[in-house]
Amino acid sequence: MFGRNFIGLEIRRNGLRAVSLRRKRRQRELAGGQTLQFSEGIVLPTAREANVIEPQVFVDGLKEVLLPLSGREERVALCLPDASGHVFLLDIDDPFKNRQEGLDIIRWQLKDRLPDNFRNIELDYQVLGERESGSRRMLVSVIDIEIRNQYEMLLNKAGFSAALIDFQSLQIYNCYRSKVDLGSDFIFVALNQQQLNILTVQNGILDFHRAKGGMTDAESVFREINRSLVTYRSGHSVFARSNLFLQTDWSDQQTLSNAVASAFDRETHNLPSPLSTLAGQQKINLSVADAAGMAAAIGVAESLMWDKR
């Protein structure tokens, strides 16, 4: 008897990445993987308006990557570009008794941090841990309802439904955090095509998050890292002794690794291909770059696998 398929789909500006996972005893087994390249202008990620410019081309692409993986499964975990929404890290001092009270408090805290015309939103949060001060560290994701609705509608048109939705930077991190011993204080840098993600963790709690597109070469990565962390470095003493991990699908990994190491002034620990963390990965015929670029799709598929809803 075949086990259930857990489908993870990452949407990028220039294409799609999809994986199918199954449970095999205590392991997660890779049942299949597909990639598809889009021409320019099919998907334009933005936090303000619908992202898919050519809906029929997009739906055809969804069918091409998902149908070979799905079997009878219709539920898909969807991973969007970070540019399609917003991610915030908040410290909440106010107590709340239930999820709705938490949402109300977060909306109040964000009222001056969102653009004036960015109010028709869906908001979700996760409690990451408690600070020494007693405040709770919160990871908050925000997306415009129109953007979410368009992705869900097009997925439905292709014959599938969105079981959960998250962003690329968080799901690349999710792919590795349960499989690689990163420690309790570390810096996590991911470069997938032109997307740079920087996360720092202190005492096991996510402390800094930055996602930035438009990274075309190692020099632009070096400059963006220095620009993003200029204030953070001076205010966090543990930063200086945190291990640095790098995940990328770039072909010239050595040049990139040198640039990242120089920006942080320490050695990088290059993370393995995300497929190597799963059983059954030898079944999938993908290029080295495509295999390395599957981290977000794997991460969101695993989120669906353990989702209790």
Side-chain angles (χ1 to χ4, degrees):
M1 183 176 180
F2 293 104
R4 180 182 175 187
N5 293 325
F6 295 89
I7 311 298
L9 171 68
E10 182 196 2
I11 296 169
R12 296 185 178 185
R13 178 185 293 270
N14 66 345
L16 306 172
R17 302 284 185 274
V19 297
S20 175
L21 303 184
R22 291 179 185 152
R23 289 194 184 100
K24 186 176 182 181
R25 300 183 182 92
R26 295 185 178 181
Q27 291 184 306
R28 292 166 286 257
E29 182 178 50
L30 185 67
Q34 296 283 331
T35 67
L36 178 71
Q37 194 82 4
F38 283 144
S39 58
E40 190 69 27
I42 305 300
V43 178
L44 295 177
T46 171
R48 299 294 188 89
E49 55 192 20
N51 287 190
V52 181
I53 310 304
E54 298 286 347
Q56 191 55 54
V57 175
F58 184 78
V59 169
D60 291 341
L62 291 176
K63 292 179 180 178
E64 185 173 339
V65 299
L66 293 176
L67 287 175
L69 302 176
S70 59
R72 297 181 180 180
E73 184 60 59
E74 296 180 354
R75 299 170 75 241
V76 173
L78 193 57
C79 185
L80 302 181
D82 280 70
S84 296
H86 298 275
V87 174
F88 298 95
L89 288 170
L90 303 177
D91 290 316
I92 303 294
D93 295 315
D94 301 312
F96 54 88
K97 298 177 182 178
N98 54 51
R99 187 162 188 82
Q100 186 56 52
E101 285 189 10
L103 289 171
D104 292 341
I105 292 170
I106 290 169
R107 282 181 179 273
W108 176 256
Q109 288 223 359
L110 291 179
K111 65 184 179 67
D112 295 326
R113 299 180 63 175
L114 293 170
D116 289 338
N117 61 343
F118 193 72
R119 289 292 180 264
N120 189 27
I121 61 171
E122 180 167 333
L123 183 153
D124 198 9
Y125 72 88
Q126 177 185 353
V127 180
L128 299 177
E130 189 168 309
R131 299 285 206 180
E132 291 182 1
S133 63
S135 65
R136 278 177 279 191
R137 188 66 164 170
M138 313 285 281
L139 174 66
V140 181
S141 297
V142 178
I143 189 168
D144 185 280
I145 291 175
E146 179 185 349
I147 294 172
R148 184 209 63 190
N149 286 349
Q150 187 197 34
Y151 279 122
E152 289 185 336
M153 178 192 69
L154 295 177
L155 198 59
N156 289 340
K157 193 173 180 180
F160 299 89
S161 63
L164 62 85
I165 301 175
D166 207 342
F167 295 118
Q168 185 211 55
S169 59
L170 303 175
Q171 289 303 326
I172 291 176
Y173 171 58
N174 185 58
C175 176
Y176 285 94
R177 63 176 181 167
S178 62
K179 308 177 189 68
V180 178
D181 183 8
L182 303 172
S184 59
D185 300 305
F186 60 89
I187 304 159
F188 186 97
V189 177
L191 264 297
N192 282 258
Q193 296 191 348
Q194 295 187 15
Q195 176 79 29
L196 168 65
N197 304 313
I198 308 170
L199 296 86
T200 72
V201 172
Q202 290 191 11
N203 296 319
I205 299 176
L206 186 61
D207 196 62
F208 177 88
H209 172 275
R210 171 73 167 158
K212 178 70 174 178
M215 301 295 105
T216 56
D217 53 38
E219 179 61 29
S220 64
V221 172
F222 175 84
R223 291 195 303 268
E224 182 58 36
I225 290 172
N226 281 318
R227 183 163 47 243
S228 298
L229 294 168
V230 63
T231 303
Y232 185 84
R233 292 177 194 268
S234 60
H236 295 77
S237 58
V238 72
F239 183 85
R241 58 180 185 271
S242 296
N243 285 328
L244 172 61
F245 295 93
L246 173 64
Q247 187 276 333
T248 184
D249 63 2
W250 286 22
S251 56
D252 187 359
Q253 293 196 7
Q254 189 58 57
T255 300
L256 176 62
S257 182
N258 290 342
V260 173
S262 181
F264 287 98
D265 193 24
R266 75 202 67 187
E267 177 188 4
T268 62
H269 302 277
N270 292 343
L271 291 166
S273 165
L275 296 191
S276 68
T277 66
L278 300 168
Q281 54 90 16
Q282 69 278 359
K283 304 174 186 176
I284 310 302
N285 184 22
L286 294 172
S287 69
V288 172
D290 281 338
M294 287 296 197
I298 291 170
V300 79
E302 291 180 336
S303 292
L304 178 59
M305 183 177 288
W306 306 120
D307 186 53
K308 301 299 183 183
R309 288 173 292 179

